[in-house]
């Protein structure tokens, strides 16, 4: 079932439910009010009759003209003695005239029903001194009131039916406007699926709903993000293909050389073997970096915990100094600085930065650590060849290499800094680069100390 139908049925159901409750309340409230009004009318008439001197002394109750002046066409008035004998009566309604006479010595008010007629009655005793000599009874047929109630029921039925019809058309129209952006999205998605090309939804200038405008904007932002993602994927595939083509071409060329002349010429064989080994190593490094970068795109790549970043930097500096025989000086304002993050990924990030510093400088490398306002700050500083200012914004792009000394001669694949930037982003951190040609480079990392 579509959202439009569900919303329409839900609205109509609740409207009908509310109308039924409202109509029942109105119907019984009107009955209560009108019934109380009829009781007051009869009560006033009874009080007026009891003030008549002929009734007060109990002797004039036999006067045939006594009740006629109080008579109403929809009423019957009679006086009944204790022996249930009617001594005076006035009225013309056959239903009322056929009511059995029954004496009561106390005041009584109520309602009885004869067939389809509702009859209200009031009975009061008539005294002669301390003795009850008779009973005055007034019966009134509520046919006019019932006619009004029938008109009320008809009016409520017509207005309720009109309200339901209006609600059906109104709800259908409203849900059509409500689901219009959704239908546009569905059609756009189907068109994207059919054509393979991303498309946006054109926002309507007549749409007044802020939520629907936000929905359209969110959809278009998603399309923009997908477009950028696909563009990066295409660029990545193109760059990867280009990077893989060079070592594969070299390997293929030297393999052909070995096949033709390697069996007879030892120098050719040694040269080919060395070149193939070198390019195979580069190909292995490139493939490993590409796989690592692909893993870094996953949101759950991190395994975060609290750890001592000073200890990580010191252990890493000792290992790299031993490996490359290059001095790495660590300066920390505190003996222990703890931060929340993935210890292994932060270590990998520092390896990338220190490896670049070792490649492109010959002087000692300085690593500074500090913490202020729950922000951990790490600086990696070298005094190497530096980076031109116009190249800094492109440093973290995949397969990007700065011209000059930063070339394939260093053995890099052009993916290290892309991986480093991804690690920083996943930690919701910040990375800044300050560099001057021939003076060195300083890379500053900032991370939140706690989660």
């Amino acid at each position: 079932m579509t959202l439009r139908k569900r919303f329409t049925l839900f609205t109509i159901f609740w409207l009908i439910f509310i109308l039924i409750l409202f109509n029942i309340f109105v119907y019984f409230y009107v009955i209560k009010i009108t019934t109380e009004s009829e009781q007051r009318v009869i009560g006033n008439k009874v009080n007026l009759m009891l003030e008549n001197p002929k009734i007060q002394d109990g002797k004039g109750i036999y006067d045939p003209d006594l009740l006629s002046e109080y008579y109403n066409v929809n009423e019957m008035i009679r006086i009944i003695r204790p022996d249930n004998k009617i001594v005076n009566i006035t009225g013309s309604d056959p239903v009322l005239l056929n009511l059995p006479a029954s004496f009561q010595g106390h005041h009584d008010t109520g309602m009885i029903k004869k067939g389809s007629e509702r009859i209200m009655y009031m009975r009061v005793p008539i005294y002669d001194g301390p003795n009850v000599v008779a009973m005055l009874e007034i019966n009134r047929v509520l046919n006019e009131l019932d006619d009004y109630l029938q008109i009320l029921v008809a009016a409520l039925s017509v207005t309720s039916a009109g309200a339901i019809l209006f609600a059906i058309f109104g709800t259908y129209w409203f849900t059509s406007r409500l689901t219009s952006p959704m239908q546009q999205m569905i059609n756009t998605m189907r068109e994207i699926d059919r054509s393979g090309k991303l498309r946006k939804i054109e926002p309507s200038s007549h749409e007044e709903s802020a939520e629907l405008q936000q929905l359209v904007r969110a959809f278009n932002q998603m399309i923009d993000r997908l477009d950028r993602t696909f563009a990066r994927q295409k660029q990545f595939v193109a760059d990867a293909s280009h990077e893989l083509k060079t070592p594969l071409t070299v390997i293929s060329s030297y393999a052909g050389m070995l096949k033709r002349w390697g069996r007879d010429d030892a120098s050719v064989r040694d040269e080919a073997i060395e070149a193939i080994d070198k390019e195979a190593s580069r190909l292995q490094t490139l493939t490993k970096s590409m796989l690592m970068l692909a893993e870094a795109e996953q949101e759950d790549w991190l395994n975060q915990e609290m750890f001592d970043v000073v200890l990580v930097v010191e252990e890493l500096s000792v290992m790299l100094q031993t490996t490359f025989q290059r001095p790495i000086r660590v300066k920390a304002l505190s003996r222990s600085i703890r931060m929340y993050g993935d210890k292994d990924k932060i270590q990998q990030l520092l390896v990338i930065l220190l490896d670049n510093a070792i490649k492109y400088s010959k002087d000692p490398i300085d690593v500074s650590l500090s913490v202020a306002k729950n922000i951990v700050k790490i600086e990696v500083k070298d005094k190497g060849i530096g980076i031109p200012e116009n190249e800094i914004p492109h440093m973290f792009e995949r397969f990007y290499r700065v011209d000059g000394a930063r070339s394939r001669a260093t053995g890099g694949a052009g993916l290290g800094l892309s991986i480093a930037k991804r690690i920083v982003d996943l930690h919701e951190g910040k990375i800044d680069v300050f560099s001057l040609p021939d003076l060195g480079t300083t890379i500053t990392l900032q991370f939140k100390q706690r989660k």
Side-chain angles (χ1 to χ4, degrees), residues 148-187:
Y148 292 145
L149 290 176
Q150 291 179 2
I151 295 173
L152 175 64
V153 171
L156 291 175
S157 301
V158 171
T159 54
S160 297
I164 292 172
L165 289 176
F166 178 79
I168 291 174
F169 289 108
T171 305
Y172 189 81
W173 174 82
F174 176 74
T175 52
S176 298
R177 290 178 58 86
L178 182 66
T179 58
S180 177
M182 301 178 188
Q183 190 60 45
Q184 281 185 286
M185 289 183 189
I186 293 173
N187 295 335

mmCIF file of all heavy atoms in Angstrom, residues 148-187:
data_model
loop_
_atom_site.group_PDB
_atom_site.id
_atom_site.type_symbol
_atom_site.label_atom_id
_atom_site.label_comp_id
_atom_site.label_asym_id
_atom_site.label_seq_id
_atom_site.Cartn_x
_atom_site.Cartn_y
_atom_site.Cartn_z
ATOM 1 N N TYR A 148 -37.343 17.455 16.500
ATOM 2 C CA TYR A 148 -36.117 18.258 16.478
ATOM 3 C C TYR A 148 -34.864 17.374 16.554
ATOM 4 O O TYR A 148 -33.849 17.642 15.895
ATOM 5 C CB TYR A 148 -36.132 19.243 17.643
ATOM 6 C CG TYR A 148 -37.164 20.337 17.528
ATOM 7 C CD1 TYR A 148 -37.809 20.832 18.657
ATOM 8 C CD2 TYR A 148 -37.502 20.867 16.285
ATOM 9 C CE1 TYR A 148 -38.763 21.827 18.555
ATOM 10 C CE2 TYR A 148 -38.463 21.861 16.176
ATOM 11 C CZ TYR A 148 -39.100 22.331 17.305
ATOM 12 O OH TYR A 148 -40.046 23.316 17.192
ATOM 13 N N LEU A 149 -34.962 16.315 17.335
ATOM 14 C CA LEU A 149 -33.818 15.402 17.439
ATOM 15 C C LEU A 149 -33.553 14.688 16.116
ATOM 16 O O LEU A 149 -32.397 14.455 15.741
ATOM 17 C CB LEU A 149 -34.060 14.384 18.551
ATOM 18 C CG LEU A 149 -34.017 14.929 19.982
ATOM 19 C CD1 LEU A 149 -34.364 13.844 20.989
ATOM 20 C CD2 LEU A 149 -32.646 15.516 20.299
ATOM 21 N N GLN A 150 -34.619 14.337 15.410
ATOM 22 C CA GLN A 150 -34.444 13.715 14.092
ATOM 23 C C GLN A 150 -33.795 14.689 13.110
ATOM 24 O O GLN A 150 -32.919 14.304 12.313
ATOM 25 C CB GLN A 150 -35.791 13.235 13.558
ATOM 26 C CG GLN A 150 -36.372 12.047 14.318
ATOM 27 C CD GLN A 150 -37.717 11.621 13.778
ATOM 28 O OE1 GLN A 150 -38.205 12.189 12.803
ATOM 29 N NE2 GLN A 150 -38.318 10.622 14.428
ATOM 30 N N ILE A 151 -34.215 15.943 13.188
ATOM 31 C CA ILE A 151 -33.581 16.952 12.335
ATOM 32 C C ILE A 151 -32.107 17.105 12.699
ATOM 33 O O ILE A 151 -31.236 17.233 11.821
ATOM 34 C CB ILE A 151 -34.324 18.307 12.470
ATOM 35 C CG1 ILE A 151 -35.753 18.178 11.926
ATOM 36 C CG2 ILE A 151 -33.564 19.411 11.751
ATOM 37 C CD1 ILE A 151 -36.606 19.405 12.165
ATOM 38 N N LEU A 152 -31.840 17.091 14.019
ATOM 39 C CA LEU A 152 -30.451 17.186 14.471
ATOM 40 C C LEU A 152 -29.621 16.016 13.964
ATOM 41 O O LEU A 152 -28.486 16.192 13.488
ATOM 42 C CB LEU A 152 -30.410 17.240 16.004
ATOM 43 C CG LEU A 152 -29.006 17.231 16.643
ATOM 44 C CD1 LEU A 152 -28.239 18.484 16.256
ATOM 45 C CD2 LEU A 152 -29.103 17.096 18.168
ATOM 46 N N VAL A 153 -30.167 14.793 14.055
ATOM 47 C CA VAL A 153 -29.445 13.613 13.569
ATOM 48 C C VAL A 153 -29.185 13.728 12.074
ATOM 49 O O VAL A 153 -28.080 13.422 11.579
ATOM 50 C CB VAL A 153 -30.240 12.339 13.897
ATOM 51 C CG1 VAL A 153 -29.623 11.126 13.196
ATOM 52 C CG2 VAL A 153 -30.284 12.103 15.400
ATOM 53 N N ALA A 154 -30.193 14.187 11.330
ATOM 54 C CA ALA A 154 -30.017 14.345 9.885
ATOM 55 C C ALA A 154 -28.945 15.389 9.577
ATOM 56 O O ALA A 154 -28.097 15.197 8.685
ATOM 57 C CB ALA A 154 -31.348 14.735 9.236
ATOM 58 N N ALA A 155 -29.001 16.501 10.318
ATOM 59 C CA ALA A 155 -28.009 17.555 10.090
ATOM 60 C C ALA A 155 -26.596 17.070 10.418
ATOM 61 O O ALA A 155 -25.637 17.326 9.678
ATOM 62 C CB ALA A 155 -28.357 18.785 10.933
ATOM 63 N N LEU A 156 -26.462 16.363 11.549
ATOM 64 C CA LEU A 156 -25.146 15.825 11.918
ATOM 65 C C LEU A 156 -24.648 14.818 10.890
ATOM 66 O O LEU A 156 -23.454 14.788 10.552
ATOM 67 C CB LEU A 156 -25.206 15.180 13.301
ATOM 68 C CG LEU A 156 -25.406 16.137 14.489
ATOM 69 C CD1 LEU A 156 -25.565 15.347 15.784
ATOM 70 C CD2 LEU A 156 -24.249 17.114 14.615
ATOM 71 N N SER A 157 -25.557 13.992 10.377
ATOM 72 C CA SER A 157 -25.176 12.993 9.372
ATOM 73 C C SER A 157 -24.702 13.662 8.092
ATOM 74 O O SER A 157 -23.676 13.280 7.497
ATOM 75 C CB SER A 157 -26.348 12.053 9.083
ATOM 76 O OG SER A 157 -26.757 11.384 10.260
ATOM 77 N N VAL A 158 -25.438 14.681 7.642
ATOM 78 C CA VAL A 158 -25.069 15.369 6.399
ATOM 79 C C VAL A 158 -23.735 16.095 6.552
ATOM 80 O O VAL A 158 -22.842 16.003 5.695
ATOM 81 C CB VAL A 158 -26.181 16.355 5.989
ATOM 82 C CG1 VAL A 158 -25.711 17.232 4.830
ATOM 83 C CG2 VAL A 158 -27.439 15.601 5.596
ATOM 84 N N THR A 159 -23.601 16.823 7.659
ATOM 85 C CA THR A 159 -22.338 17.553 7.861
ATOM 86 C C THR A 159 -21.156 16.606 8.048
ATOM 87 O O THR A 159 -20.055 16.872 7.561
ATOM 88 C CB THR A 159 -22.459 18.470 9.094
ATOM 89 O OG1 THR A 159 -22.883 17.701 10.229
ATOM 90 C CG2 THR A 159 -23.469 19.578 8.844
ATOM 91 N N SER A 160 -21.393 15.486 8.717
ATOM 92 C CA SER A 160 -20.305 14.512 8.899
ATOM 93 C C SER A 160 -19.911 13.897 7.562
ATOM 94 O O SER A 160 -18.717 13.742 7.261
ATOM 95 C CB SER A 160 -20.737 13.416 9.873
ATOM 96 O OG SER A 160 -21.008 13.956 11.151
ATOM 97 N N ALA A 161 -20.919 13.534 6.751
ATOM 98 C CA ALA A 161 -20.615 12.980 5.424
ATOM 99 C C ALA A 161 -19.870 13.997 4.567
ATOM 100 O O ALA A 161 -18.901 13.660 3.869
ATOM 101 C CB ALA A 161 -21.909 12.542 4.742
ATOM 102 N N GLY A 162 -20.312 15.269 4.650
ATOM 103 C CA GLY A 162 -19.607 16.312 3.905
ATOM 104 C C GLY A 162 -18.182 16.487 4.394
ATOM 105 O O GLY A 162 -17.255 16.675 3.591
ATOM 106 N N ALA A 163 -18.005 16.457 5.707
ATOM 107 C CA ALA A 163 -16.654 16.599 6.259
ATOM 108 C C ALA A 163 -15.757 15.448 5.833
ATOM 109 O O ALA A 163 -14.576 15.638 5.519
ATOM 110 C CB ALA A 163 -16.725 16.679 7.787
ATOM 111 N N ILE A 164 -16.332 14.231 5.797
ATOM 112 C CA ILE A 164 -15.541 13.058 5.381
ATOM 113 C C ILE A 164 -15.153 13.178 3.905
ATOM 114 O O ILE A 164 -13.992 12.923 3.533
ATOM 115 C CB ILE A 164 -16.324 11.768 5.653
ATOM 116 C CG1 ILE A 164 -16.470 11.550 7.172
ATOM 117 C CG2 ILE A 164 -15.651 10.574 5.003
ATOM 118 C CD1 ILE A 164 -17.389 10.409 7.529
ATOM 119 N N LEU A 165 -16.116 13.570 3.061
ATOM 120 C CA LEU A 165 -15.801 13.734 1.634
ATOM 121 C C LEU A 165 -14.756 14.826 1.438
ATOM 122 O O LEU A 165 -13.803 14.669 0.659
ATOM 123 C CB LEU A 165 -17.082 14.068 0.862
ATOM 124 C CG LEU A 165 -18.098 12.935 0.708
ATOM 125 C CD1 LEU A 165 -19.353 13.434 0.009
ATOM 126 C CD2 LEU A 165 -17.499 11.771 -0.074
ATOM 127 N N PHE A 166 -14.943 15.935 2.142
ATOM 128 C CA PHE A 166 -13.963 17.018 2.037
ATOM 129 C C PHE A 166 -12.590 16.545 2.518
ATOM 130 O O PHE A 166 -11.564 16.875 1.927
ATOM 131 C CB PHE A 166 -14.440 18.205 2.873
ATOM 132 C CG PHE A 166 -13.487 19.358 2.864
ATOM 133 C CD1 PHE A 166 -13.437 20.241 1.790
ATOM 134 C CD2 PHE A 166 -12.624 19.565 3.939
ATOM 135 C CE1 PHE A 166 -12.549 21.301 1.793
ATOM 136 C CE2 PHE A 166 -11.733 20.622 3.940
ATOM 137 C CZ PHE A 166 -11.696 21.495 2.868
ATOM 138 N N ALA A 167 -12.580 15.764 3.602
ATOM 139 C CA ALA A 167 -11.308 15.260 4.133
ATOM 140 C C ALA A 167 -10.643 14.300 3.154
ATOM 141 O O ALA A 167 -9.418 14.297 3.005
ATOM 142 C CB ALA A 167 -11.544 14.575 5.478
ATOM 143 N N ILE A 168 -11.450 13.478 2.483
ATOM 144 C CA ILE A 168 -10.879 12.531 1.510
ATOM 145 C C ILE A 168 -10.169 13.287 0.396
ATOM 146 O O ILE A 168 -9.004 13.019 0.069
ATOM 147 C CB ILE A 168 -11.983 11.611 0.953
ATOM 148 C CG1 ILE A 168 -12.478 10.645 2.046
ATOM 149 C CG2 ILE A 168 -11.463 10.830 -0.253
ATOM 150 C CD1 ILE A 168 -13.661 9.804 1.615
ATOM 151 N N PHE A 169 -10.887 14.252 -0.206
ATOM 152 C CA PHE A 169 -10.289 14.999 -1.318
ATOM 153 C C PHE A 169 -9.141 15.884 -0.826
ATOM 154 O O PHE A 169 -8.100 15.991 -1.482
ATOM 155 C CB PHE A 169 -11.353 15.855 -2.012
ATOM 156 C CG PHE A 169 -12.343 15.046 -2.806
ATOM 157 C CD1 PHE A 169 -13.651 14.886 -2.364
ATOM 158 C CD2 PHE A 169 -11.967 14.422 -3.982
ATOM 159 C CE1 PHE A 169 -14.567 14.144 -3.088
ATOM 160 C CE2 PHE A 169 -12.877 13.671 -4.714
ATOM 161 C CZ PHE A 169 -14.176 13.537 -4.279
ATOM 162 N N GLY A 170 -9.346 16.509 0.355
ATOM 163 C CA GLY A 170 -8.289 17.356 0.892
ATOM 164 C C GLY A 170 -7.041 16.572 1.250
ATOM 165 O O GLY A 170 -5.918 16.990 0.949
ATOM 166 N N THR A 171 -7.238 15.421 1.899
ATOM 167 C CA THR A 171 -6.095 14.593 2.271
ATOM 168 C C THR A 171 -5.390 14.041 1.043
ATOM 169 O O THR A 171 -4.149 14.002 0.976
ATOM 170 C CB THR A 171 -6.559 13.423 3.171
ATOM 171 O OG1 THR A 171 -7.256 13.933 4.295
ATOM 172 C CG2 THR A 171 -5.363 12.604 3.639
ATOM 173 N N TYR A 172 -6.170 13.642 0.036
ATOM 174 C CA TYR A 172 -5.562 13.124 -1.191
ATOM 175 C C TYR A 172 -4.738 14.216 -1.869
ATOM 176 O O TYR A 172 -3.625 13.968 -2.334
ATOM 177 C CB TYR A 172 -6.653 12.617 -2.130
ATOM 178 C CG TYR A 172 -6.126 11.870 -3.328
ATOM 179 C CD1 TYR A 172 -5.759 10.534 -3.233
ATOM 180 C CD2 TYR A 172 -5.985 12.500 -4.554
ATOM 181 C CE1 TYR A 172 -5.266 9.845 -4.315
ATOM 182 C CE2 TYR A 172 -5.483 11.830 -5.650
ATOM 183 C CZ TYR A 172 -5.131 10.499 -5.531
ATOM 184 O OH TYR A 172 -4.634 9.833 -6.615
ATOM 185 N N TRP A 173 -5.295 15.436 -1.902
ATOM 186 C CA TRP A 173 -4.560 16.550 -2.516
ATOM 187 C C TRP A 173 -3.306 16.870 -1.715
ATOM 188 O O TRP A 173 -2.228 17.086 -2.280
ATOM 189 C CB TRP A 173 -5.471 17.770 -2.597
ATOM 190 C CG TRP A 173 -4.768 19.004 -3.076
ATOM 191 C CD1 TRP A 173 -4.490 19.364 -4.356
ATOM 192 C CD2 TRP A 173 -4.229 20.045 -2.240
ATOM 193 N NE1 TRP A 173 -3.824 20.572 -4.386
ATOM 194 C CE2 TRP A 173 -3.639 21.007 -3.095
ATOM 195 C CE3 TRP A 173 -4.190 20.260 -0.860
ATOM 196 C CZ2 TRP A 173 -3.034 22.160 -2.622
ATOM 197 C CZ3 TRP A 173 -3.578 21.408 -0.389
ATOM 198 C CH2 TRP A 173 -3.012 22.344 -1.250
ATOM 199 N N PHE A 174 -3.462 16.892 -0.377
ATOM 200 C CA PHE A 174 -2.320 17.218 0.467
ATOM 201 C C PHE A 174 -1.227 16.168 0.361
ATOM 202 O O PHE A 174 -0.037 16.498 0.257
ATOM 203 C CB PHE A 174 -2.786 17.359 1.921
ATOM 204 C CG PHE A 174 -1.667 17.605 2.889
ATOM 205 C CD1 PHE A 174 -1.039 18.832 2.957
ATOM 206 C CD2 PHE A 174 -1.230 16.586 3.736
ATOM 207 C CE1 PHE A 174 -0.002 19.056 3.846
ATOM 208 C CE2 PHE A 174 -0.195 16.800 4.623
ATOM 209 C CZ PHE A 174 0.414 18.044 4.678
ATOM 210 N N THR A 175 -1.619 14.893 0.408
ATOM 211 C CA THR A 175 -0.611 13.831 0.310
ATOM 212 C C THR A 175 0.035 13.805 -1.071
ATOM 213 O O THR A 175 1.186 13.386 -1.209
ATOM 214 C CB THR A 175 -1.243 12.464 0.616
ATOM 215 O OG1 THR A 175 -2.411 12.276 -0.207
ATOM 216 C CG2 THR A 175 -1.635 12.361 2.072
ATOM 217 N N SER A 176 -0.706 14.237 -2.080
ATOM 218 C CA SER A 176 -0.105 14.329 -3.416
ATOM 219 C C SER A 176 1.036 15.339 -3.413
ATOM 220 O O SER A 176 2.116 15.081 -3.959
ATOM 221 C CB SER A 176 -1.167 14.733 -4.446
ATOM 222 O OG SER A 176 -2.178 13.761 -4.528
ATOM 223 N N ARG A 177 0.789 16.479 -2.775
ATOM 224 C CA ARG A 177 1.864 17.474 -2.665
ATOM 225 C C ARG A 177 2.967 16.993 -1.728
ATOM 226 O O ARG A 177 4.145 17.254 -1.955
ATOM 227 C CB ARG A 177 1.299 18.801 -2.147
ATOM 228 C CG ARG A 177 0.421 19.524 -3.150
ATOM 229 C CD ARG A 177 -0.149 20.798 -2.549
ATOM 230 N NE ARG A 177 0.892 21.692 -2.107
ATOM 231 C CZ ARG A 177 1.507 22.590 -2.889
ATOM 232 N NH1 ARG A 177 1.168 22.674 -4.168
ATOM 233 N NH2 ARG A 177 2.442 23.392 -2.402
ATOM 234 N N LEU A 178 2.556 16.275 -0.665
ATOM 235 C CA LEU A 178 3.537 15.789 0.300
ATOM 236 C C LEU A 178 4.475 14.761 -0.302
ATOM 237 O O LEU A 178 5.672 14.751 -0.033
ATOM 238 C CB LEU A 178 2.804 15.193 1.511
ATOM 239 C CG LEU A 178 3.673 14.674 2.660
ATOM 240 C CD1 LEU A 178 4.428 15.820 3.320
ATOM 241 C CD2 LEU A 178 2.825 13.943 3.691
ATOM 242 N N THR A 179 3.915 13.862 -1.110
ATOM 243 C CA THR A 179 4.722 12.776 -1.678
ATOM 244 C C THR A 179 5.302 13.122 -3.039
ATOM 245 O O THR A 179 5.986 12.290 -3.637
ATOM 246 C CB THR A 179 3.872 11.502 -1.803
ATOM 247 O OG1 THR A 179 2.721 11.779 -2.636
ATOM 248 C CG2 THR A 179 3.400 11.032 -0.442
ATOM 249 N N SER A 180 5.018 14.324 -3.523
ATOM 250 C CA SER A 180 5.534 14.698 -4.844
ATOM 251 C C SER A 180 7.064 14.651 -4.902
ATOM 252 O O SER A 180 7.627 14.073 -5.843
ATOM 253 C CB SER A 180 5.017 16.088 -5.222
ATOM 254 O OG SER A 180 5.557 16.506 -6.451
ATOM 255 N N PRO A 181 7.788 15.235 -3.918
ATOM 256 C CA PRO A 181 9.249 15.114 -3.964
ATOM 257 C C PRO A 181 9.715 13.660 -3.887
ATOM 258 O O PRO A 181 10.714 13.292 -4.519
ATOM 259 C CB PRO A 181 9.708 15.915 -2.739
ATOM 260 C CG PRO A 181 8.585 16.837 -2.440
ATOM 261 C CD PRO A 181 7.347 16.093 -2.821
ATOM 262 N N MET A 182 9.001 12.837 -3.108
ATOM 263 C CA MET A 182 9.377 11.423 -3.019
ATOM 264 C C MET A 182 9.195 10.738 -4.370
ATOM 265 O O MET A 182 10.038 9.934 -4.801
ATOM 266 C CB MET A 182 8.537 10.722 -1.949
ATOM 267 C CG MET A 182 8.672 11.317 -0.558
ATOM 268 S SD MET A 182 7.620 10.476 0.645
ATOM 269 C CE MET A 182 7.828 11.564 2.064
ATOM 270 N N GLN A 183 8.084 11.063 -5.030
ATOM 271 C CA GLN A 183 7.858 10.481 -6.348
ATOM 272 C C GLN A 183 8.917 10.967 -7.329
ATOM 273 O O GLN A 183 9.385 10.202 -8.188
ATOM 274 C CB GLN A 183 6.447 10.861 -6.850
ATOM 275 C CG GLN A 183 6.024 10.118 -8.108
ATOM 276 C CD GLN A 183 5.985 8.616 -7.910
ATOM 277 O OE1 GLN A 183 5.473 8.137 -6.900
ATOM 278 N NE2 GLN A 183 6.533 7.867 -8.858
ATOM 279 N N GLN A 184 9.303 12.248 -7.181
ATOM 280 C CA GLN A 184 10.375 12.760 -8.030
ATOM 281 C C GLN A 184 11.670 11.995 -7.790
ATOM 282 O O GLN A 184 12.409 11.674 -8.734
ATOM 283 C CB GLN A 184 10.597 14.246 -7.758
ATOM 284 C CG GLN A 184 9.589 15.168 -8.422
ATOM 285 C CD GLN A 184 9.959 16.620 -8.202
ATOM 286 O OE1 GLN A 184 9.800 17.163 -7.110
ATOM 287 N NE2 GLN A 184 10.448 17.254 -9.227
ATOM 288 N N MET A 185 11.932 11.705 -6.496
ATOM 289 C CA MET A 185 13.139 10.945 -6.169
ATOM 290 C C MET A 185 13.089 9.551 -6.782
ATOM 291 O O MET A 185 14.093 9.059 -7.327
ATOM 292 C CB MET A 185 13.295 10.844 -4.650
ATOM 293 C CG MET A 185 13.671 12.133 -3.980
ATOM 294 S SD MET A 185 13.907 11.893 -2.212
ATOM 295 C CE MET A 185 14.061 13.596 -1.679
ATOM 296 N N ILE A 186 11.921 8.914 -6.662
ATOM 297 C CA ILE A 186 11.771 7.566 -7.230
ATOM 298 C C ILE A 186 12.012 7.597 -8.738
ATOM 299 O O ILE A 186 12.752 6.768 -9.286
ATOM 300 C CB ILE A 186 10.374 7.008 -6.903
ATOM 301 C CG1 ILE A 186 10.236 6.778 -5.391
ATOM 302 C CG2 ILE A 186 10.129 5.701 -7.646
ATOM 303 C CD1 ILE A 186 8.836 6.393 -4.956
ATOM 304 N N ASN A 187 11.384 8.567 -9.400
ATOM 305 C CA ASN A 187 11.557 8.681 -10.853
ATOM 306 C C ASN A 187 13.006 8.990 -11.210
ATOM 307 O O ASN A 187 13.545 8.449 -12.183
ATOM 308 C CB ASN A 187 10.634 9.770 -11.414
ATOM 309 C CG ASN A 187 9.165 9.422 -11.256
ATOM 310 O OD1 ASN A 187 8.795 8.249 -11.174
ATOM 311 N ND2 ASN A 187 8.304 10.419 -11.208
#
